[in-house]
Amino acid sequence: VYANQAFIEMFGFEHLEDVREADPSGFYADPAEREALYRQEAEQGGLDGAEVRFRRKDGSTFVGLLSTRRVEGKGGDRTYFDGAITDITERKRAEQALHEERDRLDTLFESLPTPVVRCELQDRGAVVTAANPAFEETFGIEPSDATGRDINELIVPEERREQAAQLEQDA
């Protein structure tokens, strides 16, 4: 019925009339997803932030965040849905890049030949949240046994712990 200029441009059209003449199923990268969204929308009275892969006029796709709400006509006889789509393609790419970077760092953490621990600073000191296999080989402490314990209690000789605690306080 109506689309604003942002919607028209998002889908690669120039005019509202072009959008009106287009087959709405063509706006979805997967037309079957359109049917599922329609059912969900009808059951729930709208959609709240559904991630949908849409298709532009030129065939390229983008990820959109779709929110809709049911609007009742006068007397409840005409019902339609108002909606908004936010292009979140760049956000999804950034999330994917972060996941890939995290996976690379996790692989590096696990495969380094030197002992490595992740610690979280707490009131009682640097508490181990993870340790790699080389930590166990070097210190004879399984990573699961190191987790939740103060790193100084694990690897600093008892006679030097006070000095280590002071170094932590100064850092």
Side-chain angles (χ1 to χ4, degrees), residues 145-161:
D145 291 338
T147 301
R149 296 180 59 193
D150 184 300
I151 188 66
N152 290 333
E153 292 175 9
L154 294 174
I155 63 172
V156 176
E158 194 165 337
E159 65 274 6
R160 310 230 24 215
R161 286 191 188 149

Side-chain angles (χ1 to χ4, degrees), residues 10 51-56 60-65 85-97:
M10 183 183 298
E51 284 189 22
V52 180
R53 183 162 294 282
F54 290 102
R55 182 176 314 283
R56 293 184 182 93
S60 63
T61 61
F62 69 96
V63 179
L65 202 58
I85 300 170
T86 303
D87 185 344
I88 60 168
T89 305
E90 289 306 313
R91 183 177 89 190
K92 296 304 284 181
R93 284 187 188 133
E95 286 175 4
Q96 181 63 32

Side-chain angles (χ1 to χ4, degrees), residues 39-144:
R39 283 191 300 277
Q40 184 180 354
E41 188 177 51
E43 291 169 6
Q44 299 174 0
L47 300 170
D48 187 25
E51 284 189 22
V52 180
R53 183 162 294 282
F54 290 102
R55 182 176 314 283
R56 293 184 182 93
K57 180 181 174 185
D58 67 4
S60 63
T61 61
F62 69 96
V63 179
L65 202 58
L66 174 64
S67 295
T68 65
R69 66 179 179 88
R70 182 188 346 249
V71 178
E72 300 284 334
K74 290 184 181 179
D77 57 346
R78 289 180 61 206
T79 301
Y80 63 94
F81 288 89
D82 270 345
I85 300 170
T86 303
D87 185 344
I88 60 168
T89 305
E90 289 306 313
R91 183 177 89 190
K92 296 304 284 181
R93 284 187 188 133
E95 286 175 4
Q96 181 63 32
L98 284 172
H99 288 295
E100 290 170 3
E101 184 66 18
R102 184 202 63 222
D103 291 346
R104 279 193 293 275
L105 289 173
D106 285 347
T107 299
L108 180 62
F109 180 82
E110 290 296 321
S111 62
L112 278 171
T114 56
V116 180
V117 294
R118 288 185 194 126
C119 292
E120 181 179 287
L121 291 177
Q122 298 180 356
D123 289 339
R124 63 180 208 238
V127 176
V128 176
T129 59
N132 73 347
F135 181 85
E136 179 179 3
E137 292 170 20
T138 303
F139 295 102
I141 303 168
E142 289 187 32
S144 61

Side-chain angles (χ1 to χ4, degrees), residues 1-8 15-17 19-20 27 80-84:
V1 175
Y2 174 76
N4 67 11
Q5 192 62 36
F7 179 95
I8 294 166
H15 306 286
L16 176 59
E17 296 310 316
V19 173
R20 287 182 175 155
F27 295 148
Y80 63 94
F81 288 89
D82 270 345

